[in-house]
Amino acid sequence: MDINQLVELIATTWKCDSSRYPELAGMNASERKNFVIKHSVLHITKTNGKIAAVCEDFDHNRVLSADAEKELEALAVKMFINALKLAEEAGVTFETLVQKAPEYIK
């Protein structure tokens, strides 16, 4: 699977429409876009909280257990999916992400 197929799979698997979110039915295009972007941010925040919990446990235990490493791997994958979903909802293509990323790294 290439990245564009992955983006399409994510978009179709977690489709934001009025069948899943009834409040979208009464919204115009701008309101819908704001809602789905905000919802993606909530998913990112939720994932960040789970990452923080693993890191906070590490501060107390001083050892990153095998279970914690597996959890961090799963959370990294979820964060990647969340980022691609946010980009798709904001109208940012994968090609743009790849092209612009080096500008933000510098």
Side-chain angles (χ1 to χ4, degrees):
M1 174 178 292
D2 71 25
I3 193 71
N4 288 310
Q5 291 170 320
L6 178 60
V7 169
E8 181 62 28
L9 177 62
I10 292 166
T12 57
T13 300
W14 290 291
K15 197 171 197 166
C16 287
D17 60 23
S18 59
S19 68
R20 291 184 84 168
Y21 305 98
E23 59 270 39
L24 289 173
M27 295 181 183
N28 64 37
S30 178
E31 292 168 332
R32 289 173 65 88
K33 186 174 183 176
N34 288 343
F35 175 90
V36 297
I37 288 171
K38 181 190 80 166
H39 194 76
S40 279
V41 170
L42 291 174
H43 278 281
I44 289 168
T45 302
K46 181 179 175 182
T47 303
N48 274 336
K50 291 178 179 183
I51 293 168
V54 172
C55 293
E56 199 271 342
D57 285 347
F58 173 77
D59 281 352
H60 290 283
N61 299 327
R62 303 288 180 217
V63 175
L64 192 60
S65 69
D67 287 344
E69 287 183 13
K70 287 175 99 173
E71 186 173 1
L72 284 174
E73 178 183 285
L75 291 167
V77 171
K78 287 179 181 184
M79 188 60 78
F80 180 62
I81 291 168
N82 289 336
L84 289 177
K85 181 67 174 155
L86 174 62
E88 178 259 326
E89 291 165 345
V92 180
T93 66
F94 178 73
E95 290 76 14
T96 300
L97 292 172
V98 171
Q99 178 187 11
K100 298 271 184 182
E103 295 175 22
Y104 290 88
I105 294 170
K106 292 180 182 178

